[in-house]
């Protein structure tokens, strides 16, 4: 890209004594522009930088960049500088605008002066020149990738009105080429990002479908018992044993439905994580504090080993809390009858390629998970907690945990042996803030 741009420039440069000095300066401008654009990942930022640099090189008062919007079949303004009235610089250009027509047929930078005496332009009805006059635009630079016009830039009136010189034109050509490549990359990147989001949403819909089906199944039994109770109650209202026994059961069923609904709502809430820069240990500590009383009551000893040198992590604090609480409460549940030891350890993890991750292990000495169940613990509605009432499981905890870790691009796995205990391993990439 760079080599190509430089060829463009040097072929137009006059060979004088100041040439080495000028060339150096141009090389710097071009190199720096290219490097800056390369480091940007945001379309608006790239657009602003491009139009700023083009205006500077063309010494113009105003300019704007328009990008192809395939969905709406037009070119949409992404950046503009200079104080320009909205009528002068529209938000969109229709595909059949005379300027675009002209750009597509000439395939090069167009100046207003070129157009004034252009026979082709006269054939086309003179629309392009008039449009440039109207927009107070002196230069029109196409951003072509192969034969596709992915964007174009408009530059306003030069200040002071500079005579056309070969140097300006060649510098602009080089900068336009660099800008074109940067725009091509960002457009591809955004397309990729969009389809990735779409895929994720489809995944979520699919799992919601499973969950909705499961939910219907799960509430059938409790609903039946509630219905039966209501049907029988009028005749049996004087039977205290019936009323007492059945109402306890029905209440448990209502609890169960309530819990299921709550967890499904938690799951269904669109879970695009809102990432903030966090101290992971701090979140772990606050979750441990939360379960401390319950653990104590069950005779569970908590051992915590929090690494002092953890990198900070970009994560959704609320969601990660939900993950840790689910894992910790499962561990506590597994030791409900026997008491035991809950070990929570964090450390930093260097992944191949040098990326830093934070890692946490949550290890219990509880009843363990049977080998045949190990593959199913993350499935929606998989639960072995069939005790009645408030202690019954929903089987959605680990499904949610898994989903959240996935959305954080992290990893989770479990090891367990019956009668010995269970360890959950969770790792999260320590993204730069
Ligand atoms: N630490 C653990 N020790 C033993 N079994 C576990 C542990 N964590 C999860 N499980 C098993 O995985 C199942 C699913 O867990 P989860 O999705 O949180 O649902 P729930 O806790 O509502 O049952 C649990 O019912 C249990 O059988
Ligand atoms: Mg659970």
């Amino acid at each position: 890209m760079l080599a190509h741009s430089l060829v463009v420039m040097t072929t137009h440069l006059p060979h004088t004594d100041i040439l080495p000095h000028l060339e150096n300066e141009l090389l710097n401008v071009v190199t720096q522009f290219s490097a800056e654009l390369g480091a940007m990942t945001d379309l608006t930022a790239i657009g602003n930088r491009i139009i700023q640099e083009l205006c500077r090189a063309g010494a113009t008062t105003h300019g704007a960049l328009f990008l192809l919007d395939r969905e709406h079949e037009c070119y949409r303004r992404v950046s503009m500088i200079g104080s320009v009235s909205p009528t002068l610089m529209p938000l969109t250009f229709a595909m059949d605008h005379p300027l675009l027509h002209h750009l597509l047929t000439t395939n090069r930078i167009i100046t207003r002066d070129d157009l004034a005496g252009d026979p082709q332009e006269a054939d086309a009805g003179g629309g392009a020149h008039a449009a440039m006059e109207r927009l107070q635009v002196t230069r029109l630079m196409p951003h072509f990738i192969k034969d596709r016009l992915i964007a174009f830039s408009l530059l306003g009136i030069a200040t002071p009105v500079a005579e056309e010189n070969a140097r300006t034109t060649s510098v602009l050509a080089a900068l336009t080429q660099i800008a074109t490549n940067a725009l091509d990359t960002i457009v591809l990147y955004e397309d990729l990002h969009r389809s990735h989001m779409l895929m994720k949403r489809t995944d979520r819909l699919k799992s919601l479908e499973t969950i909705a089906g499961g939910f219907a199944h799960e509430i059938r039994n409790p609903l039946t018992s509630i219905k039966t109770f209501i049907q029988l109650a009028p005749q049996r209202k004087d039977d205290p044993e019936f009323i007492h026994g059945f109402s306890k059961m029905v209440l448990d069923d209502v609890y169960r439905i309530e819990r299921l609904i709550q967890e499904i709502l938690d799951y269904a809430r669109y879970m695009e994580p809102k990432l903030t820069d966090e101290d992971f240990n701090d979140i772990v500590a606050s979750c441990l504090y939360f379960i401390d009383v319950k653990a104590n009551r069950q005779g569970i000893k908590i051992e915590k080993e929090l690494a002092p040198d953890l990198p900070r992590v970009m994560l959704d604090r609320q969601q990660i809390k939900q993950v840790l609480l689910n894992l910790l409460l499962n561990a506590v549940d597994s030791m409900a009858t026997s008491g035991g030891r809950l070990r929570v350890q964090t450390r930093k993890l260097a992944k191949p390629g040098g990326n830093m991750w934070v890692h946490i292990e949550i290890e219990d000495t509880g009843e363990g998970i049977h080998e045949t169940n190990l593959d199913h613990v993350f499935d929606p509605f998989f639960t072995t907690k069939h005790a009645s009432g408030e202690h019954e499981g929903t089987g959605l905890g680990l499904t949610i945990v898994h989903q959240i870790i996935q959305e954080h691009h992290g990893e989770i796995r479990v090891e367990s042996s019956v009668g010995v205990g269970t360890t959950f391993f969770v790792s999260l990439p320590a993204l730069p803030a």
Side-chain angles (χ1 to χ4, degrees):
M1 170 173 86
L2 195 55
H4 171 73
S5 321
L6 288 176
V7 171
V8 175
M9 286 192 307
T10 48
T11 48
H12 287 276
L13 283 171
H15 287 269
T16 65
D17 288 347
I18 56 161
L19 192 64
H21 165 72
L22 253 184
E23 257 191 354
N24 257 343
E25 191 190 307
L26 289 179
L27 183 63
N28 280 344
V29 168
V30 167
T31 315
Q32 196 184 340
F33 184 50
S34 166
E36 271 181 47
L37 290 185
M40 293 176 171
T41 51
D42 174 66
L43 175 61
T44 318
I46 288 184
N48 287 342
R49 186 68 191 87
I50 287 174
I51 208 65
Q52 180 197 7
E53 188 64 32
L54 292 179
C55 281
R56 204 190 52 77
T60 59
T61 49
H62 65 275
L65 173 70
F66 291 80
L67 192 70
L68 176 62
D69 179 342
R70 274 173 305 173
E71 204 178 319
H72 300 99
E73 298 204 346
C74 65
Y75 287 82
R76 185 172 300 282
R77 197 175 77 203
V78 287
S79 304
M80 179 167 77
I81 64 169
S83 47
V84 191
S85 83
T87 46
L88 268 188
M89 210 51 95
L91 267 179
T92 58
F93 272 92
M95 293 294 205
D96 56 0
H97 192 280
L99 277 186
L100 292 175
H101 179 73
H102 201 86
L103 266 185
L104 282 165
T105 44
T106 51
N107 194 344
R108 61 178 173 78
I109 296 182
I110 299 170
T111 67
R112 191 163 56 177
D113 298 344
D114 288 348
L115 277 185
D118 185 345
Q120 201 184 344
E121 158 67 1
D123 291 347
H129 186 257
M132 285 183 94
E133 289 281 334
R134 213 168 39 246
L135 296 166
Q136 297 187 8
V137 158
T138 53
R139 275 200 186 81
L140 192 56
M141 357 251 283
H143 300 288
F144 273 109
I145 289 289
K146 300 209 180 81
D147 292 333
R148 217 157 41 88
L149 183 67
I150 60 164
F152 61 92
S153 302
L154 301 176
L155 295 189
I157 315 250
T159 49
V161 182
E163 57 183 277
E164 266 314 301
N165 79 47
R167 183 173 171 273
T168 312
T169 309
S170 58
V171 170
L172 279 173
L175 295 175
T176 303
Q177 184 59 49
I178 293 172
T180 304
N181 291 334
L183 285 170
D184 187 38
T185 311
I186 189 76
V187 167
L188 273 179
Y189 174 83
E190 296 214 328
D191 278 356
L192 207 69
H193 184 68
R194 244 195 310 278
S195 49
H196 181 69
M197 294 305 292
L198 206 68
M199 262 157 53
K200 257 171 57 176
R201 221 167 298 157
T202 321
D203 265 5
R204 165 176 298 280
L205 281 179
K206 247 189 269 156
S207 54
L208 268 179
E209 202 177 289
T210 318
I211 286 197
F215 179 65
H217 178 79
E218 294 289 316
I219 65 169
R220 199 159 294 149
N221 284 342
L223 275 182
T224 308
S225 90
I226 294 168
K227 204 156 109 191
T228 313
F229 177 67
I230 291 171
Q231 285 166 341
L232 293 180
Q235 307 153 25
R236 308 281 291 272
K237 63 180 187 304
D238 301 323
D239 177 350
E241 209 173 318
F242 170 84
I243 294 291
H244 194 73
F246 227 131
S247 62
K248 159 95 178 64
M249 212 169 114
V250 164
L251 195 61
D252 283 351
D253 286 332
V254 172
Y255 283 149
R256 175 161 174 71
I257 294 175
E258 254 175 18
R259 253 193 340 275
L260 279 166
I261 289 176
Q262 187 52 51
E263 297 220 18
I264 285 173
L265 286 180
D266 285 350
Y267 185 82
R269 200 161 13 103
Y270 188 60
M271 287 202 297
E272 180 72 6
K274 283 188 219 35
L275 302 183
T276 46
D277 182 17
E278 298 286 347
D279 177 346
F280 188 65
N281 281 338
D282 185 49
I283 301 176
V284 176
S286 88
C287 291
L288 282 173
Y289 178 76
F290 190 75
I291 62 151
D292 200 42
V293 176
K294 190 174 160 79
N296 238 326
R297 216 185 305 139
Q298 286 180 214
I300 296 168
K301 187 166 168 284
I302 296 179
E303 289 174 10
K304 94 182 154 180
E305 302 163 31
L306 306 184
D309 60 345
L310 277 194
R312 291 183 73 84
V313 201
M314 291 299 289
L315 47 78
D316 184 312
R317 191 180 171 92
Q318 255 1 73
Q319 290 186 1
I320 294 302
K321 260 187 162 170
Q322 199 182 352
V323 164
L324 296 174
L325 278 176
N326 271 323
L327 295 177
L328 292 169
L329 288 171
N330 279 345
V332 168
D333 283 348
S334 79
M335 299 183 279
T337 48
S338 51
R341 184 174 56 89
L342 172 63
R343 192 180 62 90
V344 177
Q345 186 195 46
T346 64
R347 64 191 147 84
K348 89 178 162 201
L349 198 69
K351 286 268 179 181
N355 292 331
M356 276 303 165
W357 287 47
V358 296
H359 180 79
I360 182 167
E361 288 179 24
I362 297 177
E363 181 189 341
D364 63 60
T365 57
E367 60 194 8
I369 302 169
H370 209 277
E371 214 184 310
T372 49
N373 288 343
L374 212 51
D375 282 343
H376 300 291
V377 291
F378 294 107
D379 293 351
F381 301 108
F382 175 83
T383 180
T384 54
K385 300 173 191 171
H386 298 297
S388 70
E390 279 185 276
H391 301 293
E392 197 172 333
T394 59
L396 284 173
L398 287 180
T399 310
I400 295 170
V401 164
H402 189 261
Q403 181 81 33
I404 292 175
I405 295 302
Q406 251 194 345
E407 302 215 355
H408 280 76
H409 307 287
E411 291 165 5
I412 180 164
R413 84 194 157 78
V414 55
E415 280 174 12
S416 185
S417 70
V418 174
V420 180
T422 305
T423 310
F424 277 87
F425 305 85
V426 178
S427 315
L428 293 166
L431 304 172

